[in-house]
Amino acid sequence: MPERLTYSIQGIDCAVCAARIQDAINTIEGVGSTQIDLMANRLEITSDRTIDAQLDQQVRQTVLREEPHASVALLAGGNTGGERKAIKFDIVVPLRILTALLLVWAARSWTGTPWAFLLYLLSYAASGYDVVYRAMRNIVRGNLFDEHFLMTVATMGAFAIGEYAEAVAVMAFYQAGEYMQDLAVDRSKASIARLMDIRPESATVVRDGVRLTLAPEEIMVGDVLLIKAGEKIPVDAVVISGNSTLDTKALTGESVPRAVSPGDALISGCINGSGVLHAEASVAYQDSTVATILRLVEESGMRKAKTERFITRFARYYTPIVVLLAAAIAIVPPLFGPDTFSVWFYRALVFLVISCPCALVISVPLGFFGGIGGMARMGVLAKGGNFIQAMAKARTIVFDKTGTLTKGSFTVSLIEPVAAGVSEDELLRLAAAIESHSTHPVAKAIVARYGKRVSEATDIEETPGMGVAGTVGHRHIRIGTERYVQPDVQAGKTSQESAGTTVQVSADGILLGSITVTDTVKPEGKEMVESLRTLGADKLVILSGDGARTVEGTAKDLGIETFHSRLLPQDKLAHVERLIGEQRDGGTVLFVGDGVNDAPVLARADVGLAMGGIGSDAAVEAADVVIMTDDLSKIPAAIRHSRRTMAIVRQNIVFALGVKVFVMALGALGFASMWLAVFADTGVALLAVMNSLRALRHK
Ligand code: ADP
Ligand code: MG
């Protein structure tokens, strides 16, 4: 297992710089991989050697060497931060811009005197000293072609040809633009983060009759929590007393409040709507729903979409190419053309100003970040931008049956003893003794019918997708599918398969009988199938471990033609691999599942979607996207939202590049001033940032 270190990193605002830092850290011995998530301000490294203070030191030094303005802080392992960061309104930059403009104004009124030049120099220094300094520093280190370099060359060039006022104004304008961009990006990051802010601040715990206000992390399993109206549920808990309604909107996107009364489970992160509740903490904060979700959301930025990685790589080539073009414009035409060198030189400078790829580089990850935020708002958690991109191209959608297409809340409909001398009660008792140790939906139904959980069985062994075995009073009991029980049976005939899921029960190689449980298809299933077809997902498949009759029934109910039954986890995997192999034109395969037996397939599919409510931890862990409400209608909604997000990202790319190419052309032909170039650049960046925020909304 490689070890992982996570840092909070501030002061890096451009993806190209982030990529450079990543490369530098990767050269440190022992570092396996490095990821920087600009949206969450996190840096994560994995290492195959033990992470020690020395490595930590090297990482910090490397970051500061590459970006002296940055600050790095180690986050404790498993930190589920969700830290709130106040937006800083930096007053220095506006003051500097104002000073520079005042000095230019003064210089203009002294035109012709030696004072004028001095004042221009001063105002240039006021507006751009840090830009020039950073450019110099990067040149010394061999990092040519960053935006500071471009601005320095362009403005100094303007100085050289006597356009003093313009040089200062362009620098001041550039600073103002950067400042506004930073503000816009920070604000949008903050507003997305706020949406996902489900982190409880504190909790009231009653210990020995004393009320204590504790941090959620300090709550222990079994603590009695006092939750007042309007407060967030701090950890997953069970209601002891009180009645209330829960606002689950932040987690599930459902606006209808859910009623809770004693015995009901409370999900952390939800808000207690009305009454006062006393509840018993069932897990510690780290294992609670809220911590799990925050961790998933925070890590989501580390999984970058292809488009995102492409843009960063693109930016590395784009700038040098534009600089070369600018050089060509300054040198070649004057050799032949009518205009003088200084005219072409100015045009080349315009080129340099427009060559900064910032608008592009910031708006693409912001678009994905907004897309993930918008999905979280409807109760669908995507673990990375890459899954949004893959989901947008969903062509084949594969479903597990039990718990995914059906409610997974079984009721026992038939108890059928077949062995002589075995009563229904005896059969149920033995089955319940074994099933008390399983959490499978079938197991829950049998235990519920028996009336209580019993723990007398020993040597329990569960085979996912098959059944369970164990010992009850020296008798070896097996319960599960025919395929699971039959190899053990020497005596006893099989009963006919009936409607519903039938499990067989054997004791010491003798078939005792069977228990049939029935489940119902989720009501929104049919509509989901229709929506998916309209969205162009032309192949829908059911893969189930259940018997043929039952699977066929479900498939018919929903209008899905392709289905396979009696599958083991490895069979499901084989089917999905075959379907992935059949894809053409970049279409992707989605797999939707809930069980432990689905975990391998969830991991293998292009996008694995897990049911977050009914789903096992293994499934939620292995999945790429978690549907918090188990609601099937969220699947077409999520696909639609992914497509919308991709469209926004594409708009940003086309718009930013389009405007740049247009202004470059104008500049080369002499129709654009440096002013227009800066204005276009900043304007595009701001518009792209605002456009990205649209990805937050969903219908
Ligand atoms: P699906 O693939 O449709 O979600 P599962 O893989 O969860 O269904 O289960 C497949 C079959 O395995 C069930 O229909 C049931 O017959 C059997 N099975 C699995 N676990 C158990 C269990 N704990 N007790 C009894 N039967 C089980
Ligand atoms: Mg299942």
Side-chain angles (χ1 to χ4, degrees):
M1 248 323 246
E3 287 194 48
R4 242 205 267 179
L5 265 189
T6 309
Y7 294 87
S8 132
I9 183 166
Q10 310 282 345
I12 295 172
D13 40 19
C14 115
V16 183
C17 320
R20 201 178 65 230
I21 295 174
Q22 260 167 242
D23 290 346
I25 295 178
N26 276 334
T27 61
I28 299 175
E29 206 205 312
V31 171
S33 70
T34 312
Q35 276 290 352
I36 291 181
D37 177 4
L38 282 180
M39 292 302 137
N41 298 312
R42 281 157 75 101
L43 159 71
E44 188 180 285
I45 63 162
T46 57
S47 169
D48 24 346
R49 82 174 203 217
T50 326
I51 289 176
D52 51 18
Q54 194 203 346
L55 184 63
D56 171 55
Q57 198 58 36
Q58 280 173 324
V59 170
R60 286 166 192 271
Q61 279 166 0
T62 309
V63 173
L64 294 182
R65 195 181 64 226
E66 291 297 324
E67 204 57 56
H69 293 263
S71 65
V72 216
L74 191 62
L75 292 176
N79 179 299
T80 45
E83 319 106 87
R84 294 176 188 86
K85 192 169 59 107
I87 298 174
K88 290 195 300 282
F89 287 93
D90 183 4
I91 188 72
V92 179
V93 172
L95 279 181
R96 280 175 49 196
I97 295 172
L98 194 69
T99 312
L101 293 180
L102 283 175
L103 286 170
V104 169
W105 176 71
R108 289 186 80 127
S109 43
W110 262 305
T111 310
T113 70
W115 288 113
F117 185 69
L118 192 67
L119 284 172
Y120 278 128
L121 268 187
L122 271 178
S123 66
Y124 182 70
S127 63
Y129 70 86
D130 54 338
V131 175
V132 176
Y133 169 73
R134 286 168 89 161
M136 299 292 180
R137 207 193 57 217
N138 284 340
I139 293 171
V140 171
R141 270 204 234 103
N143 296 325
L144 280 179
F145 304 135
D146 69 341
E147 50 179 327
H148 305 110
F149 169 80
L150 297 171
M151 288 311 297
T152 304
V153 174
T155 50
M156 286 196 169
F159 243 90
I161 54 174
E163 301 282 355
Y164 310 124
E166 181 147 8
V168 176
V170 164
M171 183 62 95
F173 214 50
Y174 164 75
Q175 292 276 24
E178 286 295 294
Y179 181 71
M180 287 194 306
Q181 256 179 60
D182 282 354
L183 266 187
V185 170
D186 275 356
R187 290 194 57 154
S188 38
K189 281 206 257 182
S191 64
I192 296 171
R194 228 185 353 263
L195 278 177
M196 294 190 260
D197 189 8
I198 47 172
R199 192 184 153 79
E201 260 114 283
S202 64
T204 310
V205 173
V206 187
R207 281 187 195 154
D208 304 323
V210 186
R211 278 187 198 178
L212 304 168
T213 304
L214 299 180
E217 288 86 352
E218 293 171 301
I219 297 172
M220 293 189 285
V221 176
D223 267 342
V224 175
L225 310 170
L226 174 70
I227 308 159
K228 298 195 206 91
E231 287 183 348
K232 281 190 190 126
I233 314 290
V235 300
D236 296 348
V238 176
V239 180
I240 306 171
S241 66
N243 290 293
S244 179
T245 51
L246 281 193
D247 172 2
T248 65
K249 196 156 189 295
L251 262 66
T252 64
E254 298 297 331
S255 44
V256 183
R258 201 165 83 200
V260 288
S261 48
D264 285 343
L266 295 175
I267 305 168
S268 54
C270 297
I271 296 169
N272 180 14
S274 40
V276 175
L277 291 172
H278 281 87
E280 187 184 310
S282 38
V283 289
Y285 177 73
Q286 301 83 269
D287 305 319
S288 275
T289 310
V290 71
T292 310
I293 293 177
L294 284 172
R295 204 174 55 235
L296 293 181
V297 169
E298 272 168 16
E299 288 171 1
S300 67
M302 298 290 176
R303 307 189 205 204
K304 294 191 173 43
K306 270 195 215 120
T307 312
E308 231 171 319
R309 282 185 305 229
F310 168 76
I311 284 297
T312 313
R313 238 179 307 136
F314 172 81
R316 287 195 208 174
Y317 297 107
Y318 168 85
T319 313
I321 289 173
V322 176
V323 172
L324 277 180
L325 279 178
I329 288 177
I331 298 164
V332 181
L335 296 180
F336 311 101
D339 293 319
T340 62
F341 173 73
S342 75
V343 168
W344 285 104
F345 186 68
Y346 181 85
R347 293 178 186 176
L349 295 182
V350 173
F351 235 71
L352 284 186
V353 172
I354 194 76
S355 66
C356 171
C358 276
L360 211 55
V361 160
I362 194 66
S363 66
V364 171
L366 198 61
F368 281 108
F369 191 53
I372 292 175
M375 268 212 221
R377 275 177 96 176
M378 58 188 195
V380 180
L381 280 175
K383 295 190 190 172
N386 50 340
F387 304 121
I388 293 206
Q389 186 157 19
M391 205 155 37
K393 297 211 208 83
R395 199 70 57 72
T396 299
I397 305 179
V398 185
F399 298 91
D400 162 67
K401 184 185 71 75
T402 316
T404 302
L405 291 175
T406 65
K407 286 183 184 161
S409 56
F410 287 95
T411 45
V412 174
S413 56
L414 193 66
I415 304 174
E416 229 180 343
V418 290
V422 179
S423 68
E424 277 188 24
D425 286 349
E426 172 72 355
L427 186 61
L428 183 64
R429 188 185 71 79
L430 286 172
I434 301 287
E435 295 286 29
S436 293
H437 297 270
S438 169
T439 54
H440 194 274
V442 171
K444 285 184 188 157
I446 292 175
V447 174
R449 174 66 176 264
Y450 184 62
K452 60 175 190 280
R453 215 162 249 286
V454 276
S455 55
E456 60 169 310
T458 54
D459 309 327
I460 297 293
E461 208 176 307
E462 180 153 6
T463 314
M466 294 283 272
V468 216
T471 309
V472 181
H474 304 297
R475 295 169 85 187
H476 177 71
I477 312 287
R478 282 171 94 83
I479 170 165
T481 58
E482 186 183 336
R483 192 166 163 177
Y484 178 70
V485 176
Q486 279 301 320
D488 187 51
V489 172
Q490 285 105 41
K493 63 173 185 358
T494 326
S495 64
Q496 269 300 310
E497 198 178 322
S498 52
T501 297
T502 303
V503 293
Q504 302 191 341
V505 186
S506 74
D508 293 329
I510 297 165
L511 189 71
L512 298 184
S514 61
I515 298 177
T516 301
V517 295
T518 44
D519 188 6
T520 47
V521 171
K522 291 183 188 168
E524 73 277 12
K526 216 170 156 61
E527 204 180 311
M528 169 200 70
V529 168
E530 276 154 25
S531 307
L532 289 177
R533 293 235 159 89
T534 341
L535 285 172
D538 39 29
K539 190 157 187 169
L540 305 181
V541 181
I542 302 180
L543 299 179
S544 175
D546 209 345
R549 281 264 209 98
T550 326
V551 180
E552 189 178 355
T554 308
K556 276 222 179 85
D557 280 355
L558 293 172
I560 297 177
E561 295 91 24
T562 322
F563 55 89
H564 302 275
S565 56
R566 293 175 199 275
L567 300 177
L568 298 177
Q570 56 268 39
D571 304 332
K572 289 192 179 187
L573 195 59
H575 275 290
V576 166
E577 280 183 338
R578 178 177 54 77
L579 290 166
I580 291 175
E582 283 171 10
Q583 293 306 307
R584 298 286 168 263
D585 312 324
T588 54
V589 176
L590 269 53
F591 178 83
V592 196
D594 71 303
V596 181
N597 58 332
D598 297 324
V601 207
L602 283 168
R604 179 64 184 88
D606 292 322
V607 185
L609 292 96
M611 296 290 150
I614 193 177
S616 62
D617 289 351
V620 170
E621 196 65 36
D624 307 315
V625 175
V626 182
I627 301 171
M628 298 302 297
T629 45
D630 299 350
D631 178 350
L632 291 173
S633 67
K634 296 279 166 78
I635 299 171
I639 293 177
R640 234 176 269 127
H641 188 76
S642 303
R643 293 196 179 158
R644 218 169 102 83
T645 305
M646 291 311 296
I648 288 171
V649 167
R650 261 192 304 270
Q651 285 158 11
N652 282 349
I653 295 175
V654 170
F655 177 62
L657 276 182
V659 170
K660 276 179 194 285
V661 170
F662 181 64
V663 178
M664 276 190 214
L666 286 185
L669 296 173
F671 294 122
S673 66
M674 233 189 266
W675 278 87
L676 180 67
V678 181
F679 187 70
D681 197 53
T682 309
V684 167
L686 289 179
L687 284 175
V689 168
M690 285 193 284
N691 191 33
S692 301
L693 279 184
R694 293 198 308 127
L696 261 182
R697 281 200 304 268
H698 60 89
K699 288 169 196 126

